Amino acid sequence: MSWTLGARYDSTKSNISFQVYSKNATRIELYIYKTAYGASEHSKYVMTKNATTSVWSTTVSVSALGAGTVYYGYRAWGPNWPYSTPWTKGSSTGFLSDVDANGNRFNPNKVLLDPYALEISHDPSNAQSTDGTVFASGPLYRHIDSGPRAPKGVVLAGDSQSIGTRPTRALKDDVIYEVHVRGLTRNDPAITAAYRGTYKGAALKAPALAALGVTAVEFLPLQETENDANDNVASTAGDNYWGYMTLNYFAPDRRYAYDKSAGGPTREFKEMVKAFHDNGIKVFVDVVYNHTGEGGAWKAGDASTYNVLSFRGLDNATYYSLTGDKQFNWDNTGVGGNYNTFNAKAQDLIVHSLAYWKDTLGVDGFRFDLASVLGNTQEHGGFNYQRDHTGTALNRILRDLSPRPGTGGVGTDFIAEPWAIGGNSYQVGNFPNGWAEWNGIYRDTFRKDQNQMGVETITPGQLATRFTGSADLYGEGNGDTRKPYHSINFMVAHDGLTLNDLYTCNSKNNNQPWPYGPSDGGEDNNHSWDQGGIAADQRKAARNGMAFLMLSAGVPMFNGGDEFLRTQACNNNVYNLDSDKNWLNYSLSADQAKFKTFTERLIAFRKAHPALRPASFYVGNDTNGNVMEQHRWFKPDGYVPDASYFDSGGNHAIAFRIDGTEFGDSASALYVAYNGWSGSVNFNLPWPGNGKSWYRVADTCPWAEASGVSAVAPGSEVQLGGEGYAYGLCGRGLLLLIAK
């Protein structure tokens, strides 16, 4: 996929072409800088508009710029602020209004970052500059010239850094590890100090994640966001750790680069991607195309004062979804206003950005934050999600950037966070064919069953549906042809409690002092429980949570550090904690080390048994009515449950057997039993196959932890017996067996 917007050298490196889109601007000037911060421009050029494409362009001779890095930005005039010859930087000459009836917010006093810049020089707020008013419109700030302090685009000459050989593994065979690239190594003593918290440091972590069993690392946002100010003071005031306020959709965040020179972040990012690819690991990136870092109104009800940094100053009504009167941003993202995902030109930027990260930077897949916004069918004045509308960004992404086939091969993995805030934005199970989704219903079902017995009613049938890939959400019907692997199963994610805290905290505790807080917001209904304060039961519950993921059809995802029971001290919204207590800590206690071993062995077991990773939903009969017994449910007494058992909230134990021979599995059968009761239950085991016996792979109960056999390595399984063998499983315990 090709495009011409942005800044690029010609083939001889003698000239640089600059192109930027604006339908509504009446004049745009290119400003060239030799110094990124604190200096006036080196030169400026009036750009020419193509009346057909609304692309403004100019070409500059490199010889006219001299040696060194080329930084650049734009100044734009429009109907609300038409060009006037006497205008000078910092004046109000020509000003009519901060916003007009068509939503235009042009302000020539603000130097604008190119939306297609491939790197940016610095963040608006940083150690040198903490005064954000310089970038604002409104009666108090519109006259302030932002030029010396504004972030600039960096013109790149290209590089030859390899991204290695991409894994082409089917999504169904992946194990996803969600983590922050800075937090992954910032605390890691095994990494050279200067590399900690960087792309270079993350690259050095690839072998360890491969050894854990991870096949896809999903990084929290890596596109440029305003986070340089995190280092100003050791507090949470204004901090942006997670990175969900994107300033630019092409540039890798400079903060995470060891090499911060021009082109350094791009080269180092690709070096990191190659390291993961060399270890057989896909690289996924969390992307935020539902809103931008420009934010919304500074004060509720004030239409005049907004940040003017980039998109807003170039073409507000193109890039943002506005209220019906076009005076304010439409907002169901909760962070300032929706990106205008139904506008064709705004969509261009989305697909061009994705193509750049995929084709040039080597990314294998994307997780889309608040992805329901990409299904909006209304530019301004409202929000209306429609799954099958061909004009949505969701469907255009699938058309322009081919999804990876279910069998694996060349393609891209697309994963949606299938909700936003308010309206008809909660769309779990209702994304277009080709999209996988974070299955929030999977998370909530298992959490409620584990932690809220007597408060929330969960039936064995509901558990069964989640264990087998959520056919109610992704199975055929209502025009859906998706498969189990379109369900991304998770118990926790970055925005919530950790796996450890899910079972050690009764509620969130976000108002703690630094470095564990304070953090505002956060979900109040976490379905968490401290297991009565009994540490052994807390670890048992966490083992169950990890086992649910590894033994369910679908794609398991867990959060970085969950493999060793990382804690956030009950803070469930640590978006602003760029602190040593929020970075992963690799000094493990004995209990943490045991849990990591448990996790490694469960992941290895999943990867060794294709019966746990079905390409289609399990079936009980073939088209001729013959029993295939791919998958069969059992009650503890060994009999098959009927509908009344499945539908009763008074039943809390369920087991299933998978016939491995139906999947080319090395095991003739697998058996999983889950006892949700508080007391122990005997499970009578089913038939293991002719001449076979059942062997224990894992038992999450405290006795097994104390004996060091919560999960065992292949070949160390303990033989139990055959059909009818009675196994006593502790309260709230899970059992995994293999037939041999």
Side-chain angles (χ1 to χ4, degrees), residues 228-286:
D228 285 354
N230 293 9
D231 289 334
N232 287 353
V233 290
S235 76
T236 64
D239 275 8
N240 171 23
Y241 175 58
W242 282 348
Y244 288 91
M245 293 294 283
T246 310
L247 293 171
N248 177 278
Y249 290 112
F250 290 82
D253 198 316
R254 187 172 300 277
R255 176 175 171 80
Y256 304 141
Y258 165 71
D259 178 2
K260 291 181 169 59
S261 65
T266 300
R267 292 188 298 270
E268 190 175 316
F269 181 88
K270 293 169 73 174
E271 175 187 316
M272 178 190 73
V273 169
K274 182 179 186 300
F276 280 103
H277 286 173
D278 289 349
N279 282 272
I281 298 175
K282 294 177 182 175
V283 176
F284 295 169
V285 174
D286 197 333

Side-chain angles (χ1 to χ4, degrees), residues 428 437-443 470 473-474 487-490:
V428 176
E437 303 174 20
W438 274 20
N439 189 346
I441 296 176
Y442 178 100
R443 172 198 61 196
S470 297
L473 300 174
Y474 309 107
S487 173
I488 306 300
N489 299 330
F490 67 108

Side-chain angles (χ1 to χ4, degrees), residues 587-605:
S587 298
L588 306 185
S589 68
D591 287 331
Q592 287 180 302
K594 288 180 182 178
F595 193 87
K596 184 182 178 188
T597 298
F598 175 85
T599 300
E600 288 174 347
R601 289 177 176 173
L602 262 289
I603 293 174
F605 187 86

